[in-house]
Amino acid sequence: MATRTLTRQGVISTLTRQGVIPTFTRRRLIAAAAASAAWAAPAAWAQGFPNKPLRLIVGFAPGGAADVMARIIAKGLGAQLGQQVNVDNKPGADGILAAQEAMRAPADGYTLLLGTNTALVAVPALRPNPPYDPFKAFTPISSAGEFSMFLAVSPTLPSRNLNEFLDHVAANPGKYNSASSNSAAELAMLQLLSTRGGKVVNARYKGDVQAMTDLVGGQVHMMFSTGTLVPTFAKDGKIRPLLTLLPQRSPLLPEVPTATELGLGKLTITPWAGFFGPAGLPPEITATLSGELRKALARPDVHEQLVGQGFSSYGMGATEFGAFFRKQYDGFVSTVRENNVKFE
């Protein structure tokens, strides 16, 4: 005897013809079945995700703090997902190139952006014609954590502590210059020097490695840099760390005081990083990535490596991270306005 497979609508139609279901009820059931199918499709898609390697776009050059941190987490995330997570470096333009690459990618979960407060906050907050609206162009997935940020100065400066440094720079306008690889580091320097009226010319670099090379070589005299580079050169006496922007002293350089200890609690710039997808990323895919990223950050091997880089890692759910992102943006904008900061 031949058999026939019926769809949900077919079953409903058959029961209606047999008088089991009234016509008006039939319409409701068909509508419910269609809605159920619409919800089931993304769920089934999410359950099959991922079935190929992922791409993590990083807006900084290889070897810098963001790149090193991204590769550590990418390896852990790959282990969680059972797929390779390939890091794709797109340095330059304050992370704009990387952000634009990510926002143009398909919203299918296979392209992620390591977003930082430079590309996702400083760029849209400081530029008169921002290249994107960060709240409309991206989907927040999870935080990654905060970078250790240290003020490092050249040993050619006669300053042995922060107060001496600030007084010396203020007393010698135009004599010294600074280096930065992003707007957040540049703004942090402006905030710091403004406490004593000091002014320097800032040199912009594509990455911290190049900037640190010139600091060690004496071409520049000061910069804010991360725990990936500062401890190594500080131990060799090639640079002198005077301050950390972390809320507590870093175990990498426990002798370096915090801004709060030195009475500079108004320094508000602390570089953070998080993961974003293009706008319109399906909620199921967002939830899957957010959960696996948080698990990756909690892996002992990942955590230990990040601590060794001076990175304070912590994961947030997508909703919580979205709220954190908005708060960081609003606080940054307020700081810029209060200090009348303008960037070329």
Side-chain angles (χ1 to χ4, degrees):
M1 179 178 178
T3 59
R4 182 163 61 100
T5 301
L6 292 176
T7 62
R8 291 184 180 181
Q9 186 169 345
V11 172
I12 294 169
S13 298
T14 300
L15 294 175
T16 302
R17 287 196 300 272
Q18 294 174 356
V20 177
I21 301 176
T23 301
F24 76 93
T25 305
R26 171 180 173 271
R27 295 194 185 100
R28 292 181 179 178
L29 286 172
I30 290 174
S36 175
W39 282 103
W45 182 32
Q47 289 171 5
F49 172 86
N51 55 25
K52 62 180 181 180
L54 282 69
R55 177 189 183 203
L56 176 59
I57 302 175
V58 178
F60 299 90
D67 173 71
V68 173
M69 179 269 290
R71 292 179 186 276
I72 294 171
I73 299 176
K75 186 175 180 180
L77 178 61
Q80 289 296 132
L81 294 173
Q83 291 286 350
Q84 186 80 15
V85 180
N86 300 311
V87 174
D88 186 3
N89 297 92
K90 298 288 182 184
D94 257 353
I96 292 175
L97 301 180
Q100 289 180 324
E101 183 91 359
M103 65 185 279
R104 293 168 184 154
D108 56 9
Y110 288 97
T111 299
L112 306 178
L113 171 69
L114 177 71
T116 67
N117 54 328
T118 297
L120 277 297
V121 173
V123 166
L126 294 173
R127 303 208 173 204
N129 297 300
Y132 42 75
D133 181 330
F135 302 102
K136 294 180 180 179
F138 305 100
T139 301
I141 298 174
S142 172
S143 61
E146 293 179 339
F147 297 97
S148 301
M149 184 69 95
F150 297 96
L151 169 68
V153 304
S154 169
T156 60
L157 271 70
S159 314
R160 306 300 302 182
N161 58 54
L162 185 67
N163 280 326
E164 290 179 359
F165 164 76
L166 292 173
D167 288 340
H168 184 73
V169 173
N172 293 274
K175 184 176 181 180
Y176 300 109
N177 60 3
S178 64
S180 68
S181 62
N182 57 76
S183 293
E186 187 173 350
L187 184 58
M189 185 66 73
L190 286 174
Q191 271 195 328
L192 174 64
L193 296 180
S194 69
T195 61
R196 300 288 175 86
K199 295 185 182 298
V200 298
V201 176
N202 185 69
R204 296 298 299 272
Y205 292 77
K206 283 189 175 182
D208 264 14
V209 174
Q210 299 94 323
M212 181 61 71
T213 299
D214 281 359
L215 177 65
V216 171
Q219 285 80 20
V220 294
H221 304 99
M222 64 196 76
M223 68 179 289
F224 272 105
S225 189
T226 62
T228 301
L229 296 174
V230 173
T232 300
F233 293 102
K235 290 172 183 176
D236 292 339
K238 295 178 179 177
I239 59 173
R240 187 177 297 146
L242 300 180
L243 170 75
T244 177
L245 295 182
L246 286 172
Q248 63 281 323
R249 294 194 181 201
S250 169
L252 297 176
L253 291 169
E255 71 279 9
V256 178
T258 69
T260 302
E261 288 179 67
L262 297 174
L264 297 170
K266 290 186 179 181
L267 298 184
T268 58
I269 306 301
T270 301
W272 54 267
F275 295 92
F276 296 80
L281 195 64
E284 297 81 5
I285 299 298
T286 301
T288 296
L289 288 170
S290 181
E292 296 306 322
L293 276 164
R294 282 176 283 160
K295 290 177 184 177
L297 290 168
R299 291 171 64 99
D301 56 333
V302 172
H303 178 72
E304 290 175 9
Q305 291 182 74
L306 293 176
V307 169
Q309 296 296 325
F311 187 78
S312 177
S313 62
Y314 53 87
M316 296 179 183
T319 300
E320 183 184 5
F321 179 48
F324 167 85
F325 175 36
R326 169 59 76 174
K327 184 176 181 180
Q328 288 291 310
Y329 178 87
D330 291 344
F332 191 97
V333 170
S334 296
T335 299
V336 169
R337 289 174 179 170
E338 289 171 4
N339 290 273
N340 195 30
V341 174
K342 296 185 184 298
F343 282 76
E344 296 295 333

